């Protein structure tokens, strides 16, 4: 779950991180009212789930009310990397003496949290890592042991940050680590973390990705869901509780389990086709879930064939078969289905489906065979 900048700063504020004061505006008059209240100069910043806002003209400094109105009017509605700007953050401008980079993320291969810190903030960290990898100081933190003051202080020295601000930098890094762990985040990033001309450390930007599986611990995260970027297909699937990602192909994919769904997308590609989606119905395939899955894929005009790839482990083949048959009675298909059913009680399931086989419902004996048949149908449609 990716947060917009203003949401990320609200999140950081809960952990006492020093963010600039600012408010969100959805229109030009509101932007001016906020700026008048904050005092000038201010910065008007596009709120979108993508980087490169500055290069696209989505971040502007405004010294008076007229400049705020001009900036807000030009930024609102702007297209930045395929994302339309629906709101702007109006916040106090800062006088910058130095720009740093700081982040925590997961390093699954090491089984540790990875922190990155650099004196080269304000630019693309990937470019910095490629051109000057030595400028990034890395630290791996054992989740059991946590990050201590001494380790954070050593980290600041390794990154060659301003020694006069070391105490405040250490405090900010410890707060950022707390936000990362306590907030169940996959990523917390500040770029730039600035040192002001007054010698204070401030958070000038916020990039936060939260683990949406942690919502049961953080019910307030549900408010972020409405701002997640989804196309019409993804929004429809999400409303039905499906794990769905829209793609650009013509073969609709339904599978039970994320690993199998990803493999199915790959096998479709190996057969010479392209998947229209990734859709994981989870460990079960009851009638409600299957009907919802078919409804979403059936409403995608790009889909010319549907490949249902089910491997029964805990779920039994006859349960899957009954779910598919009942779902077919609820959904009027536009595209033919190729079904591969294997695993627990698969023979019983296939026997139940056999009387309904037709040009709109075909059985495949293998995953690769089913993918090839679906690609063939999609190509001839």
């Amino acid at each position: 779950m990716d947060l917009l900048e203003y949401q990320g700063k609200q999140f950081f504020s809960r952990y006492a991180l020093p963010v600039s004061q600012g408010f969100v505006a959805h229109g030009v008059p509101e932007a001016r009212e906020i700026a008048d209240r904050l005092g000038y100069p201010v910065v008007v910043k596009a709120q979108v789930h993508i980087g490169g806002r500055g290069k696209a003209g989505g971040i502007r400094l405004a010294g008076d009310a007229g400049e705020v109105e001009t900036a807000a009017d030009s930024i609102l509605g702007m297209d930045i990397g395929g994302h339309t700007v629906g709101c702007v953050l109006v916040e106090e401008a800062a006088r910058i003496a130095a720009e740093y980079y700081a982040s925590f993320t997961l390093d699954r291969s090491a089984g540790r949290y990875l922190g990155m810190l650099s004196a080269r903030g304000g630019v693309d960290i990937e470019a910095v890592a490629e051109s000057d990898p030595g400028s990034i100081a890395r630290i791996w933190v054992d989740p059991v042991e946590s990050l201590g003051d001494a380790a954070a202080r050593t980290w600041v020295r390794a990154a060659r940050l301003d020694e006069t601000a070391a105490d405040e930098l250490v405090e900010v890094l410890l707060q950022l680590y707390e936000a990362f762990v306590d907030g169940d985040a996959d990523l917390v990033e500040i770029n730039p973390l600035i040192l002001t001309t007054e010698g204070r450390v401030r958070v000038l930007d916020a990039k936060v990705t939260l683990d949406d599986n942690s919502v049961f611990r953080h019910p307030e995260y549900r408010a972020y869901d409405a701002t997640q970027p989804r196309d019409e297909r993804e929004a429809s699937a999400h409303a039905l509780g499906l794990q769905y990602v829209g793609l650009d192909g013509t073969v609709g994919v339904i599978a039970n389990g994320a690993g199998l769904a990803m493999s199915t997308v790959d096998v479709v590609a190996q057969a010479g086709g392209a998947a229209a989606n990734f859709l994981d119905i989870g460990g079960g395939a009851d009638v409600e879930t299957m009907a919802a899955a078919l409804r979403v894929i059936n409403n995608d005009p790009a889909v010319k064939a549907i490949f249902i790839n089910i491997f029964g482990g805990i779920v039994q083949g006859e349960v899957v078969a009954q779910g598919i048959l009942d779902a077919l009675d609820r959904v009027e298909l536009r595209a033919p289905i190729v079904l591969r059913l294997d695993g627990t009680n698969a023979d019983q399931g296939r026997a139940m489906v056999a009387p309904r086989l037709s040009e709109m419902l075909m059985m495949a004996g293998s995953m690769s065979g089913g993918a090839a048949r679906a690609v063939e149908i999609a190509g001839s449609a």
Side-chain angles (χ1 to χ4, degrees):
M1 186 182 299
D2 296 323
L3 305 191
L4 293 166
E5 178 192 358
Y6 80 90
Q7 295 170 328
K9 288 181 173 176
Q10 290 171 350
F11 172 77
F12 282 163
S13 294
R14 299 175 196 166
Y15 298 93
L17 280 153
V19 301
S20 300
Q21 187 177 16
F23 302 92
V24 175
H26 294 83
V28 174
E30 187 181 7
R32 173 173 177 166
E33 186 276 327
I34 292 170
D36 288 342
R37 183 158 29 105
L38 292 174
Y40 295 93
V42 297
V43 182
V44 182
K45 308 172 80 173
Q47 298 299 286
V48 285
H49 290 91
I50 194 170
R53 294 175 299 167
K55 294 179 182 178
I59 300 177
R60 302 194 183 186
L61 181 67
D64 56 42
E67 291 182 358
V68 167
E69 291 178 345
T70 299
D73 184 60
S74 62
I75 293 173
L76 287 166
M78 176 185 290
D79 183 286
I80 301 179
H83 297 254
T84 301
V85 180
C87 62
V88 294
L89 174 62
V90 182
E91 69 177 18
E92 297 171 328
R95 291 181 288 184
I96 302 171
E99 295 183 327
Y100 309 134
Y101 173 93
S103 72
F104 286 101
T105 189
L106 307 173
D107 186 339
R108 291 179 172 84
S109 62
R112 298 288 189 273
Y113 299 143
L114 170 62
M116 293 190 289
L117 189 63
S118 176
R120 294 185 59 184
V123 295
D124 186 351
I125 194 63
E126 287 80 7
V128 173
E130 184 175 344
S131 64
D132 188 13
S135 67
I136 301 175
R138 293 173 172 82
I139 186 172
W140 282 265
V141 184
D142 189 321
V144 176
E145 296 179 0
S146 190
L147 177 66
D149 184 280
R153 197 168 296 275
T154 300
W155 190 26
V156 167
R157 286 196 297 270
R160 299 188 293 276
L161 305 189
D162 194 316
E163 285 290 335
T164 63
D167 289 344
E168 196 169 351
L169 285 165
V170 167
E171 182 180 2
V172 166
L173 291 173
L174 293 174
Q175 291 165 334
L176 185 64
Y177 180 80
E178 182 186 4
F180 174 69
V181 176
D182 183 73
D184 287 305
D186 290 337
L187 169 70
V188 291
E189 178 183 279
I190 306 172
N191 188 24
L193 174 67
I194 66 165
L195 181 65
T196 69
T197 54
E198 297 81 16
R200 304 306 304 274
V201 178
R202 290 289 180 270
V203 175
L204 208 63
D205 197 6
K207 184 176 181 180
V208 177
T209 301
L210 301 175
D211 183 351
D212 53 13
N213 291 312
S214 71
V215 172
F216 73 97
R217 278 197 292 265
H218 308 279
E220 68 276 13
Y221 289 0
R222 291 191 179 93
Y224 300 138
D225 187 68
T227 60
Q228 296 303 295
R230 299 185 179 99
D231 64 24
E232 185 177 347
R233 300 171 301 170
E234 291 168 338
S236 176
H238 181 73
L240 294 167
L242 300 173
Q243 301 299 314
Y244 177 98
V245 178
L247 301 173
D248 297 326
T250 57
V251 178
V253 169
I254 299 174
N256 63 324
L260 183 59
M262 287 187 286
S263 297
T264 305
V265 169
D266 290 341
V267 172
V268 167
Q270 291 170 3
N277 64 275
F278 163 99
L279 200 164
D280 168 23
I281 60 172
D286 59 41
V287 60
E288 297 298 336
T289 303
M290 188 60 69
L294 284 175
R295 192 176 300 117
V296 168
I297 291 183
N298 200 49
N299 287 338
D300 184 350
V303 171
K304 305 303 180 185
I306 302 171
F307 182 27
I308 301 178
N309 188 17
I310 303 293
F311 186 90
I314 297 174
V315 63
Q316 296 181 339
E318 69 270 24
V319 175
V320 174
Q322 192 60 56
I324 293 172
L325 294 174
D326 290 349
L328 290 175
D329 292 333
R330 298 189 184 191
V331 180
E332 184 177 350
L333 291 176
R334 292 189 310 99
I337 291 176
V338 178
L339 170 64
R340 177 254 182 166
L341 180 59
D342 209 340
T344 307
N345 294 349
D347 289 339
Q348 294 94 313
R350 288 192 288 266
M352 291 170 62
V353 173
R356 296 282 296 273
L357 295 179
S358 67
E359 291 184 353
M360 294 301 289
L361 177 60
M362 290 156 269
M363 187 73 71
S366 67
M367 181 171 169
S368 58
R373 182 67 178 126
V375 169
E376 179 185 1
I377 295 168
S380 62

